[in-house]
Amino acid sequence: ASDSSGAMAKPKGGGAAAPTPAAPPPTKRLPAGAKATAGLCVFIAAMGVVAQQAYDIRMYAIRDYGYVIHEFDPWFNYRATEYLAANGWHAFFHWFDYMSWYPLGRPVGTTIYPGMQITAVAIWRALGKLGSAISLNDVCCLVPAWFGVSASILVGLFAAECSGRKSAGAFAALIMAIVPAHIMRSVAGGFDNESVATTALVATFYCWVRALRDRPTARDGEATADSYAFGVLCGLAYVYMVSAWGGYVFVVNMIGAHAAALAAGGRYSSKLHRAYSLFYVIGTAGATRVPPVGLAPLRSLEQMLPLLVFLGVQLLEAVEVERRKKRLTPAQVWKRRGGVGGGGGGAAR
């Protein structure tokens, strides 16, 4: 104990004063850059484990039964892939198959989503150029497993982007790799549209949220480089999704609803305008070139929401440009938006 002057008091009995305990050494912390690099390395390692597990699970049918296409639809898809590889693009899209839909036959070129067949033939020819002797049958057997791996990794990137945590991304990727609902649509030998379309679907959603990433350098709601680059990639991924599966309507409506919710919630900015406009223009232009789709994106009632959102963000961007030029207050901005929505007169004044 010490007295009021702070001096160390002598213990009773006249013994020597107790030594003052030494202060603990300062804790060494990793620099922020090193910590981020370590986190990235752990995330990449986790993605490697996810890829290995996803591929191994999906190969059980090949290990047990060999390179065999199974189920009815995969057999037709394989037959269509063979026809594309043997006869070329033009003949494929003008092919009338008398062995399908008996006794009427099937105009394959106008009733099939050809993305999966084109993908398989492209991979088969690319491997042939690299010197591989793999057969088209084997490629078609392996495509679902390959795309099951890529879908799992993309889900990890998507979750990490949305949550801002790489640990959440790694966990989401692991769940996607082993969840039965995904395995049953991407098992090796199950050469069906969903095996390819799931990857395209997740890639579209990832590019969409990546296009909206905040950047500290962007000021006053201006567009970012990400909104341009990933807006284009989002449109291209959506075109691939349309070419592979009829479930594309879900994708375009989800993105349209998300953009509308951001605008209604007061989070509109020019990056949202650039990202959505590029996605919609590129995606719709590409979708209309898929034979079973045609002009459905502009005619179908179930695809009117994305079209209306596209028109709406153009009006909102006109008000946003005026806000920057005239330094409008938030109240004036909302008044202009109400005028534009009511008849377009507010933006002109």
Side-chain angles (χ1 to χ4, degrees):
S2 59
D3 58 15
S4 58
S5 63
M8 180 67 68
K10 293 183 179 180
K12 294 180 179 179
T20 304
T27 304
K28 294 183 178 180
R29 295 184 179 182
L30 287 174
K35 187 176 181 180
T37 302
L40 179 60
C41 291
V42 172
F43 180 70
I44 293 173
M47 290 297 102
V49 173
V50 165
Q52 187 275 328
Q53 290 296 313
Y55 186 73
D56 184 69
I57 292 171
R58 286 158 178 78
M59 288 296 289
Y60 78 89
I62 298 295
R63 289 193 295 267
D64 289 349
Y65 306 108
Y67 287 86
V68 177
I69 301 289
H70 51 81
E71 300 180 42
F72 176 77
D73 284 347
W75 268 109
F76 170 76
N77 292 328
Y78 172 63
R79 185 162 161 268
T81 306
E82 279 189 318
Y83 190 93
L84 175 61
N87 299 280
W89 186 281
H90 183 269
F92 178 78
F93 283 104
H94 293 82
W95 177 29
F96 191 91
D97 183 15
Y98 291 98
M99 297 179 66
S100 299
W101 295 356
Y102 182 84
L104 299 177
R106 176 180 180 178
V108 176
T110 58
T111 59
I112 192 174
Y113 290 91
M116 184 174 59
Q117 286 79 12
I118 295 172
T119 299
V121 172
I123 293 174
W124 175 61
R125 289 180 175 171
L127 292 175
K129 295 286 187 182
L130 296 175
S132 174
I134 189 171
S135 68
L136 183 60
N137 174 84
D138 293 357
V139 168
C140 293
C141 287
L142 291 171
V143 158
W146 291 339
F147 277 79
V149 172
S150 61
S152 300
I153 292 175
L154 283 167
V155 164
L157 295 174
F158 177 59
E161 184 67 28
C162 292
S163 65
R165 298 174 63 89
K166 292 183 175 64
S167 58
F171 188 73
L174 179 61
I175 294 298
M176 188 66 170
I178 64 176
V179 69
H182 185 218
I183 293 175
M184 68 179 291
R185 306 316 304 170
S186 58
V187 65
F191 187 56
D192 212 349
N193 295 75
E194 293 88 347
S195 61
V196 172
T198 302
T199 296
L201 180 150
V202 182
T204 304
F205 286 152
Y206 169 70
C207 290
W208 169 249
V209 298
R210 183 64 178 79
L212 300 179
R213 177 186 287 186
D214 288 329
R215 288 292 183 187
T217 55
R219 296 175 297 178
D220 200 20
E222 295 176 344
T224 62
D226 290 340
S227 64
Y228 286 99
F230 284 93
V232 171
L233 292 176
C234 183
L236 295 175
Y238 172 68
V239 172
Y240 185 49
M241 168 68 193
V242 176
S243 72
W245 191 33
Y248 71 91
V249 177
F250 165 77
V251 177
V252 69
N253 276 284
M254 282 296 294
I255 292 180
H258 184 241
L262 289 175
R267 300 186 63 183
Y268 177 83
S269 64
S270 290
K271 69 178 179 182
L272 177 62
H273 170 265
R274 302 300 193 277
Y276 189 80
S277 296
L278 288 168
F279 154 74
Y280 188 80
V281 170
I282 295 173
T284 302
T288 58
R289 307 309 302 165
V290 179
V293 177
L295 295 177
L298 304 176
R299 293 178 176 176
S300 174
L301 184 62
E302 63 185 1
Q303 298 184 58
M304 283 298 103
L305 171 64
L307 175 59
L308 293 176
V309 172
F310 173 72
L311 298 175
V313 296
Q314 309 312 314
L315 299 177
L316 290 175
E317 183 62 16
V319 176
E320 189 71 4
V321 171
E322 184 182 14
R323 179 189 69 81
R324 294 195 189 99
K325 288 182 177 179
K326 299 182 179 181
R327 302 295 180 182
L328 300 179
T329 64
Q332 291 173 321
V333 169
W334 281 106
K335 184 178 180 180
R336 295 292 200 282
R337 288 176 177 176
V340 168
R349 290 195 295 269

